[in-house]
């Protein structure tokens, strides 16, 4: 009876940590590549890459080899929103949110009471102002945001007299955030103690019932 075994080489413990402050500035990508080649770490932890997308080819270029595995965690920014009512304040409001979205290295979540609807179908027994809705939709489309679907309710706000209904509350997320968690949806919670329904953002498969022919 014979047996065989192999001895795996023990690699030197070298872990490189770098706050790069943007790969696409001042030749930092080539500088990082030379650092990898000279120090030969087994793990490199990089912060503040400021890269919107990272793929296999980019990692292989930096590492100098195809024998590499990687994981990416994008920074998430959550903005709690309470939108103003007047037209003048709304204009400044959308401009301020636009300026936030210019930081495209972040995964964005905007949630709360936007105090605005996107279409006439999101209001009942209350005035719909097309100009205001257009500004809201322009903000969403120009920044590539996703209006996460709301399940279980059509409206999120009801007036004290129970006559006026509107969808003022929602979650808007960037595509990078949606890619981090698949199958996002919003569910409405109990709203007995408020004129606005609480909303819960979550992910997972949703059973919509049997499919019709």
């Amino acid at each position: 009876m014979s047996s065989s075994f192999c001895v795996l080489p023990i690699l030197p413990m070298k872990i490189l940590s770098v706050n790069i402050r943007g790969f696409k500035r001042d030749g930092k990508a080539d500088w990082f590549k030379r650092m990898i080649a000279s120090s030969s770490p087994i793990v490199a932890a990089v912060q503040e890459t400021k890269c919107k997308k990272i793929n296999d080819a980019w990692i292989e270029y930096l590492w100098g080899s195809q024998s590499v595995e990687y994981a990416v965690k994008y920074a998430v920014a959550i903005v709690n929103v309470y939108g103003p009512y007047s037209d003048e304040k709304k204009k400044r409001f959308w401009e301020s949110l636009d300026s936030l979205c210019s930081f495209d290295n972040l995964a964005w979540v905007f949630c709360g009471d936007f105090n605005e609807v996107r279409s006439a179908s999101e209001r009942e027994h209350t005035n719909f102002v097309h100009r205001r809705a257009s500004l809201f939709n322009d903000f969403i489309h120009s920044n590539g945001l996703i209006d996460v679907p709301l399940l279980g309710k059509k409206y999120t706000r009801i007036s004290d007299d129970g006559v006026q209904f509107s969808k003022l509350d929602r979650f808007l997320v960037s595509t990078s955030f949606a890619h981090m968690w698949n199958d996002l949806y919003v569910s409405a919670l109990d709203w007995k103690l408020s004129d606005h329904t609480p909303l819960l953002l979550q992910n997972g498969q949703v059973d919509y019932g049997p499919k019709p022919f």
Side-chain angles (χ1 to χ4, degrees):
M1 183 175 179
S2 62
S3 62
S4 62
F5 62 92
C6 63
V7 178
L8 296 176
I10 300 177
L11 297 176
M13 176 54 68
K14 291 185 178 181
I15 299 177
L16 173 67
S17 178
V18 184
N19 187 320
I20 201 73
R21 296 192 66 187
F23 262 124
K24 297 181 179 180
R25 298 178 181 176
D26 305 322
K28 288 186 178 180
D30 291 334
W31 168 66
F32 180 81
K33 183 178 175 68
R34 292 193 299 270
M35 192 187 313
I36 291 292
S38 62
S39 60
S40 301
I42 60 173
V43 175
V46 186
Q47 307 90 41
E48 288 196 70
T49 64
K50 301 189 184 299
C51 292
K52 192 171 184 180
K53 293 183 179 180
I54 295 178
N55 54 33
D56 294 348
W58 176 240
I59 293 295
E60 291 170 5
Y61 166 76
L62 293 173
W63 194 257
S65 169
Q66 294 183 342
S67 302
V68 59
E69 295 181 359
Y70 67 95
V72 178
K73 180 174 177 58
Y74 293 99
V76 177
I78 301 177
V79 181
N80 187 23
V81 173
Y82 182 70
Y85 182 77
S86 71
D87 285 354
E88 182 181 354
K89 290 182 178 179
K90 278 184 181 293
K91 185 176 184 297
R92 294 199 299 268
F93 174 66
W94 298 128
E95 289 174 351
S96 64
L97 294 187
D98 271 326
S99 65
L100 287 177
C101 289
S102 64
F103 296 94
D104 59 3
N105 58 304
L106 296 177
W108 288 102
V109 179
F110 297 93
C111 60
D113 178 6
F114 288 83
N115 209 355
E116 192 53 81
V117 298
R118 300 189 62 187
S119 64
S121 63
E122 294 185 345
R123 285 193 183 275
E124 186 173 338
H125 302 141
T126 180
N127 292 332
F128 171 71
V129 182
H130 186 273
R131 180 185 67 261
R132 292 179 177 179
S134 294
L135 290 175
F136 190 14
N137 286 314
D138 287 345
F139 162 72
I140 293 173
H141 295 317
S142 63
N143 291 294
L145 299 176
I146 299 170
D147 190 354
V148 183
L150 170 63
L151 305 182
K153 284 187 180 294
K154 183 177 181 180
Y155 305 110
T156 65
R157 193 262 175 183
I158 181 173
S159 61
D160 292 337
D161 57 10
V163 175
Q164 297 178 333
F165 300 87
S166 53
K167 184 181 179 182
L168 303 180
D169 310 83
R170 67 188 75 227
F171 279 86
L172 301 175
V173 304
S174 64
T175 53
S176 56
F177 183 88
H179 290 157
M180 295 167 69
W181 288 281
N182 295 323
D183 304 315
L184 287 173
Y185 66 95
V186 176
S187 54
L189 306 182
D190 184 11
W191 65 347
K192 291 181 179 179
L193 299 180
S194 174
D195 59 341
H196 289 256
T197 181
L199 301 180
L200 180 65
L201 175 68
Q202 52 195 318
N203 73 317
Q205 295 293 329
V206 180
D207 184 5
Y208 292 97
K211 297 181 179 178
F213 288 102

